[in-house]
Amino acid sequence: VQTCALPISNARVSVDGKEHGATPITLRLPAGAHVLEVRLGNAEPRVIPLMIKAGVQTAQYIELPER
């Protein structure tokens, strides 16, 4: 899954409760249901349920409030 946060990069990205780094980021996930969380600073995270299909590229573009 490719994840980009707008308007700011460097938002923290977690999938299924495990932190993976900061936006922009590209992750390889197994097929199935996942929960993507994107958080900027101490703000509440954006929580997005994902359904990943085998062999299909998925992109998420997330708008976050400016600091």
Side-chain angles (χ1 to χ4, degrees):
V1 65
Q2 181 179 30
T3 305
C4 296
L6 298 174
I8 302 167
S9 294
N10 297 321
R12 294 187 317 250
V13 175
S14 297
V15 177
D16 300 331
K18 180 180 177 190
E19 190 152 332
H20 286 273
T23 58
I25 191 170
T26 300
L27 302 169
R28 188 175 298 264
L29 299 174
H34 299 278
V35 177
L36 172 70
E37 292 186 30
V38 181
R39 179 189 307 262
L40 184 60
N42 293 326
E44 287 293 312
R46 293 287 307 270
V47 179
I48 300 152
L50 299 175
M51 181 57 71
I52 302 297
K53 295 181 181 179
V56 176
Q57 183 173 333
T58 302
Q60 288 292 316
Y61 297 92
I62 301 155
E63 289 191 40
L64 298 172
E66 295 197 40
R67 295 183 203 192

